[in-house]
Amino acid sequence: MRAVLAFQLLGLLVVAIVCWAALSYVTALSFLFGGLTGWAPNVLFAMRLSGARPEHLPIVWISGQVVKLGLATLALVALGKLWPGAAWPAVVSGLGAFALLWMVSLAVTERSSRRLSNEQIDRLVREMSSDQTNRG
């Protein structure tokens, strides 16, 4: 999970630097803010999810998704109120790049770490299934 988050941040920074060099610092900062609007809530979600006990994973997952959406929305509303000069096409592009970088990072990150994560998820699902069976 750390590799995916690091890849996303690096990608956003690289594109923001290119925007700054090719266009303007307002475009670059707008793009970066748009990308960070998605990235920062993901970091909080990942930290919360990694610390959750197996039996709490479903509720942590669902509530984390709601919190991520809420934080991203609040950040965009705050941007509109606090920085009226933001380049909104660049903000939306930053959000799009964040989503695209997530998909690309899954393909780029090391297979062994993905395999380890999949094994951990499988183990947690088995544990949750056996707990449900034992209770029923």
Side-chain angles (χ1 to χ4, degrees), residues 27-71:
T27 303
L29 289 177
S30 297
F31 175 87
L32 190 58
F33 189 86
L36 292 176
T37 296
W39 184 81
N42 257 10
V43 171
L44 296 174
F45 176 67
M47 288 174 19
R48 187 167 181 235
L49 193 62
S50 66
R53 294 189 346 208
E55 62 271 14
H56 296 146
L57 281 177
I59 193 69
V60 170
W61 180 270
I62 292 168
S63 63
Q65 295 296 335
V66 172
V67 169
K68 277 178 20 179
L69 259 171
L71 288 174

Side-chain angles (χ1 to χ4, degrees), residues 5 18 25 29 31 47 67 88 115:
L5 292 169
V18 169
Y25 76 93
L29 289 177
F31 175 87
M47 288 174 19
V67 169
W88 282 97
R115 189 177 321 112

Side-chain angles (χ1 to χ4, degrees), residues 38-120:
W39 184 81
N42 257 10
V43 171
L44 296 174
F45 176 67
M47 288 174 19
R48 187 167 181 235
L49 193 62
S50 66
R53 294 189 346 208
E55 62 271 14
H56 296 146
L57 281 177
I59 193 69
V60 170
W61 180 270
I62 292 168
S63 63
Q65 295 296 335
V66 172
V67 169
K68 277 178 20 179
L69 259 171
L71 288 174
T73 302
L74 284 173
L76 291 172
V77 168
L79 176 66
K81 298 276 187 200
L82 299 175
W83 189 21
W88 282 97
V91 172
V92 173
S93 296
L95 277 168
F98 162 74
L100 180 63
L101 284 165
W102 178 78
M103 289 183 275
V104 171
S105 67
L106 292 177
V108 171
T109 53
E110 193 175 316
R111 286 185 88 127
S112 63
S113 67
R114 280 191 313 212
R115 189 177 321 112
L116 178 61
S117 294
N118 289 340
E119 290 170 0
Q120 289 172 335

